Amino acid sequence: MHFSVLIASALAALQACRAEIVESFHDLPSTHFDFIIIGGGTAGNVVANRLTENPKTKVLVLEAGGSPDGDLNTIVPLFCLRATPNTSIDWNYTTVPQAGYNNRAVHYPRGRVLGGSSSVNFLAYTRGTADDWDRYARVSGDYGWSWDHMQKYFLRNERWVEPADHHATTGQFDPTVHGFTGVNSVSLAGFHTPLEDRFITAANQSQPNSKYAFQLDHNSGQQLGISYVQSTIKDGERSSSATSYLAPQYANRKNLYVLLHAQVSRVLNSNKNKNSRPSFDTVEFTDGVGGPLHRMQAKKEIILSAGSVDSPHILLNSGIGDSGALEDVGVEAVHHLPSVGRNLSDHPIVTSFWLVNAKDTDTFDLMLRNETVGKEAFELWQTNRTGPLVDTVFNTVAFVRVPPDADVFKKFPDQDPSPGPNTAHIELVPMPGHLFAPFPDTGHYVTISAGLLQPTARGTISLRSNNPFDAPLIDPNYLSNDFDVALMREGIKIAREVLTLPAFDGYIISPLTNSTTDDEIDEYVRDSALTFFHPVATCAMSPQNAKYGVVDPDLRLKGADGIRVVDASVLPFTPAGHTQAPVYAVAERASDIIKCHWNI
Ligand SMILES: Cc1cc2nc3c(=O)[nH]c(=O)nc-3n(C[C@H](O)[C@H](O)[C@H](O)COP(=O)(O)OP(=O)(O)OC[C@H]3O[C@@H](n4cnc5c(N)ncnc54)[C@H](O)[C@@H]3O)c2cc1C
Ligand SMILES: *[C@@H]1O[C@H](CO)[C@@H](O)[C@H](O)[C@H]1NC(C)=O
Ligand SMILES: *[C@@H]1O[C@H](CO)[C@@H](O)[C@H](O)[C@H]1NC(C)=O
Ligand SMILES: *[C@@H]1O[C@H](CO)[C@@H](O)[C@H](O)[C@H]1NC(C)=O
Ligand SMILES: *[C@@H]1O[C@H](CO)[C@@H](O)[C@H](O)[C@H]1NC(C)=O
Ligand SMILES: *[C@@H]1O[C@H](CO)[C@@H](O)[C@H](O)[C@H]1NC(C)=O
Ligand SMILES: *[C@@H]1O[C@H](CO)[C@@H](O)[C@H](O)[C@H]1NC(C)=O
Ligand SMILES: *[C@@H]1O[C@H](CO)[C@@H](O)[C@H](O)[C@H]1NC(C)=O
């Protein structure tokens, strides 16, 4: 995109760092805190905020990245397209070569900045379905994780606000299921596109029981059909856990400290008797990359919130994991917990492009390929937060179940990995333009990404070496079985089918790829699939006495004291949708559990 020239001029206008967010170890007031939170990301900042509501509770957040303040890639919603990969606010991970992806290694972005992935993600806000949460309750043995019980936590997170363009939103969402007094802002899209009308018309013209029927609100527990997208945007700017849960009125609390550029290497066992239950109370970290290692003690608990890649990475570095595998790479085993890093689940995604009949102003193509037009769009955003940059990449979404008579279910009868009948197998993300480089020199396009929401493959996070600062090995194991391949193929077919509805008459000129047979489609998938960015289950919760799993339903590390995991990694299955809203809700409930446990 051609926006880079403008960044410097806009930097000065944005707010400076806040008092209790510090950059040096020596700026911390003491070496003792009640709680030390590892990772100031999506979940970590929620816990930091909630625990410091009690002024007597002292909390330290250790965050490897810096401040997002002034970085337009974290502020302008559509600049999510360039916040990652391979930027100063990304961990720059790549997967190991994926056999299911024709041996390609793919980028695996994760936010490395205050706010974590909520500062760099694509902003979509989806809770998952009632089926998803009722499965979490079932497999963890804790009714507290059920849809009904989690409602209050969704509402605590959410502050529903008007869209940037203040258009009338009646009939575009269901206000009765939303929170209007929470912390993190959520809104409908604030820049109208003609593509959005085509999808809503397609929905309006569909029978109520059709795949593409209109769904008033995908965050109501139901999701199936075509609906308007909800996203973490307020007044045309991104709402992240850094801008919301660490807004100045919270970050300025005297009992909350945030240390930036602090990368945690390990947590340490303070129980010197190796044969008794380990107890973790000490955190080891750098102050600036390559600096000396510091140590800090938590009087009550360590909260591990480094995300689905780095939480298991830190546990493994600390000798918590499968003892044999740890010793193979030269890490001393401290606590044998074989499930750490072992059940990685992530959504594969495949993107297709079509050349369409459209005017210059109908799609984002001109803005992406022409510097002058890009600059005009940025100026609009800068002047009064209007124009195409106020939104993420899609205004409508389709959550679709693959019908029982589809090829995949003929070949694999009785194999439906979805958690219930109201939950999608496939998510379609329609975008107005060829939004991914290389941008074509001419023409107007529609892009549709199809995400596989119910993968059965499980992968791993493991250690590359015994150096805690080496990136971990990330193996999502995408499309490693015939069922996942067959279900993904249905997703491509659904993306094509939706464009044959009458609402798209005269719109589509030609597809950019012409795979027709199943084998050709599979080859396209294997050559082009990427991540939908939703890894979970690497520190999964399981029932109290289960022989597998990493944390109990109260998120405490199994068989040890002093440490709890609170982030996406504890979810045992991917939700049917994007993961930030589930992570926010998990962190809100975890905060309640912690406060209750310590009576604070
Ligand atoms: C490019 C991208 C697009 C996405 N799009 C969407 C979307 O549109 N909608 C949606 O709902 N979800 C989306 N997601 C997923 C969603 O953002 C994540 O699931 C969610 O934010 C994860 O929250 P978390 O708290 O588990 O981890 P994070 O938010 O990633 O937080 C982890 C934090 O820990 C820090 N950390 C890691 N290791 C260490 C260490 N050793 N020491 C100190 N700090 C450390 C990190 O820097 C980070 O700040 C996207 C993700 C990405 C990367
Ligand atoms: C990442 O960016 C750097 C500098 O901008 C560049 O040299 C490098 O080739 C990029 N790497 C990848 C994998 O894109
Ligand atoms: C990621 O790559 C970018 C661009 O090359 C670089 O600026 C940044 O420091 C890298 N991040 C990490 C954590 O290595
Ligand atoms: C869809 O139907 C609703 C309800 O009848 C109507 O208000 C809306 O204008 C229609 N939208 C489109 C794009 O056809
Ligand atoms: C992975 O998760 C499944 C389902 O919860 C469970 O049965 C299995 O034991 C887990 N495997 C590991 C290695 O934790
Ligand atoms: C970019 O768009 C402007 C304004 O529409 C136009 O005048 C100019 O010729 C375009 N530039 C290129 C390289 O296409
Ligand atoms: C925003 O600014 C643009 C350019 O100055 C102007 O045309 C437009 O009317 C303004 N919109 C609003 C809602 O103020
Ligand atoms: C796909 O087919 C259409 C017509 O059927 C054609 O116009 C187009 O060029 C083809 N695209 C490719 C990449 O072969």
Side-chain angles (χ1 to χ4, degrees):
M1 287 173 103
H2 298 285
F3 300 108
S4 44
V5 286
L6 300 151
I7 292 185
S9 65
L11 282 180
L14 295 151
Q15 83 263 42
C17 239
R18 293 160 297 248
E20 274 76 19
I21 298 183
V22 300
E23 311 239 346
S24 164
F25 177 74
H26 301 288
D27 295 333
L28 294 176
S30 88
T31 52
H32 285 81
F33 288 86
D34 294 307
F35 296 91
I36 299 179
I37 300 174
I38 302 174
T42 314
N45 293 339
V46 174
V47 179
N49 176 309
R50 294 304 182 190
L51 295 186
T52 54
E53 282 173 346
N54 181 335
K56 294 205 188 95
T57 307
K58 288 175 71 182
V59 172
L60 171 66
V61 177
L62 297 172
E63 167 54 44
S67 166
D69 290 356
D71 183 340
L72 288 173
N73 288 348
T74 72
I75 301 170
V76 182
L78 199 72
F79 284 4
C80 63
L81 281 168
R82 32 175 248 184
T84 65
N86 195 24
T87 61
S88 63
I89 51 175
D90 183 8
W91 282 85
N92 300 343
Y93 292 139
T94 48
T95 67
V96 302
Q98 296 293 289
Y101 281 12
N102 279 342
N103 291 318
R104 286 177 302 124
V106 298
H107 285 298
Y108 215 66
R110 302 276 88 201
R112 190 182 205 261
V113 59
L114 199 61
S117 296
S118 75
S119 291
V120 304
N121 68 20
F122 277 51
L123 305 108
Y125 189 80
T126 59
R127 297 171 177 173
T129 63
D131 293 337
D132 280 321
W133 290 90
D134 292 345
R135 173 162 66 181
Y136 295 146
R138 209 161 55 239
V139 305
S140 69
D142 178 359
Y143 169 78
W145 295 113
S146 67
W147 173 257
D148 285 346
H149 189 257
M150 289 302 288
Q151 288 313 301
K152 65 175 179 226
Y153 298 114
F154 287 119
L155 301 190
R156 266 181 215 182
N157 173 250
E158 184 180 41
R159 176 181 289 265
W160 185 270
V161 295
E162 280 190 36
D165 61 1
H166 303 284
H167 73 267
T169 54
T170 307
Q172 301 190 349
F173 78 114
D174 178 358
T176 66
V177 304
H178 288 277
F180 294 81
T181 57
V183 179
N184 171 41
S185 299
V186 178
S187 64
L188 291 163
F191 179 75
H192 174 264
T193 67
L195 183 67
E196 156 189 338
D197 286 340
R198 295 212 182 246
F199 272 85
I200 297 301
T201 301
N204 279 358
Q205 293 172 344
S206 294
Q207 296 299 318
N209 59 353
S210 123
K211 288 199 206 69
Y212 307 111
F214 183 66
Q215 167 64 253
L216 179 59
D217 200 310
H218 58 239
N219 281 332
S220 58
Q222 310 285 320
Q223 65 172 181
L224 297 176
I226 291 175
S227 49
Y228 287 99
V229 165
Q230 303 174 12
S231 52
T232 43
I233 296 169
K234 176 173 187 267
D235 298 332
E237 296 184 15
R238 176 191 293 269
S239 174
S240 69
S241 76
T243 68
S244 60
Y245 284 88
L246 292 187
Q249 71 265 36
Y250 307 118
N252 290 340
R253 285 176 183 159
K254 297 275 176 284
N255 53 337
L256 172 60
Y257 272 79
V258 179
L259 180 61
L260 300 175
H261 308 296
Q263 183 167 342
V264 172
S265 45
R266 298 185 297 160
V267 293
L268 305 174
N269 183 8
S270 61
N271 191 339
K272 297 297 167 231
N273 179 351
K274 290 198 174 174
N275 296 320
S276 64
R277 189 177 168 93
S279 178
F280 297 91
D281 70 351
T282 302
V283 180
E284 182 189 78
F285 57 97
T286 61
D287 173 5
V289 178
L293 290 178
H294 298 288
R295 285 183 182 183
M296 192 76 90
Q297 247 176 324
K299 281 191 275 188
K300 292 190 167 74
E301 280 185 26
I302 297 166
I303 311 292
L304 182 53
S305 299
S308 291
V309 173
D310 289 294
S311 284
H313 187 212
I314 291 167
L315 292 178
L316 295 168
N317 286 330
S318 310
I320 304 165
D322 183 275
S323 300
L326 289 170
E327 275 152 18
D328 286 347
V329 290
V331 170
E332 186 196 344
V334 172
H335 182 40
H336 181 61
L337 204 54
S339 291
V340 174
R342 284 275 168 82
N343 238 342
L344 171 60
S345 181
D346 190 16
H347 299 147
I349 190 170
V350 177
T351 299
S352 310
F353 305 90
W354 289 262
L355 183 67
V356 299
N357 263 318
K359 296 199 296 285
D360 280 350
T361 49
D362 288 354
T363 73
F364 296 171
D365 292 295
L366 210 56
M367 172 176 89
L368 292 167
R369 72 168 76 107
N370 178 317
E371 194 160 345
T372 312
V373 180
K375 207 169 147 181
E376 282 163 12
F378 181 75
E379 277 162 8
L380 262 184
W381 180 85
Q382 219 179 9
T383 311
N384 53 21
R385 301 294 189 265
T386 62
L389 305 192
V390 304
D391 287 333
T392 183
V393 294
F394 59 131
N395 288 7
T396 54
V397 62
F399 287 102
V400 184
R401 265 184 92 73
V402 173
D405 61 354
D407 289 345
V408 57
F409 294 125
K410 283 188 197 139
K411 189 160 172 218
F412 300 93
D414 311 320
Q415 190 169 335
D416 178 3
S418 73
N422 299 315
T423 299
H425 297 110
I426 299 294
E427 177 179 343
L428 298 185
V429 175
M431 294 165 265
H434 193 299
L435 296 201
F436 302 103
F439 307 114
D441 293 334
T442 58
H444 303 291
Y445 300 85
V446 61
T447 301
I448 300 185
S449 291
L452 175 57
L453 299 180
Q454 307 296 340
T456 61
R458 295 281 179 161
T460 55
I461 302 292
S462 57
L463 293 182
R464 192 183 295 269
S465 74
N466 64 1
N467 176 355
F469 299 102
D470 264 0
L473 295 168
I474 301 172
D475 182 6
N477 204 19
Y478 293 121
L479 303 181
S480 52
N481 63 68
D482 292 343
F483 177 81
D484 286 14
V485 173
L487 196 58
M488 186 76 252
R489 190 191 305 140
E490 301 292 346
I492 309 297
K493 291 182 178 176
I494 288 167
R496 292 173 178 187
E497 181 185 72
V498 75
L499 295 177
T500 66
L501 296 175
F504 298 95
D505 278 356
Y507 192 57
I508 304 300
I509 300 172
S510 62
L512 292 202
T513 50
N514 289 338
S515 46
T516 40
T517 66
D518 283 358
D519 285 347
E520 285 167 0
I521 293 174
D522 291 354
E523 206 48 25
Y524 180 66
V525 167
R526 292 190 190 286
D527 283 341
S528 68
L530 296 169
T531 174
F532 209 175
F533 317 114
H534 301 150
V536 299
T538 50
C539 300
M541 58 172 134
S542 68
Q544 195 81 41
N545 297 312
K547 293 277 176 272
Y548 65 94
V550 177
V551 295
D552 285 337
D554 63 2
L555 309 187
R556 285 199 290 177
L557 194 73
K558 285 183 179 290
D561 291 325
I563 183 162
R564 221 180 277 259
V565 184
V566 183
D567 60 27
S569 70
V570 303
L571 294 172
F573 290 84
T574 58
H578 309 247
T579 35
Q580 68 170 337
V583 170
Y584 277 123
V586 163
E588 284 284 7
R589 177 162 189 244
S591 303
D592 254 13
I593 293 173
I594 296 164
K595 285 171 145 184
C596 181
H597 179 90
W598 293 98
N599 196 18
I600 52 173

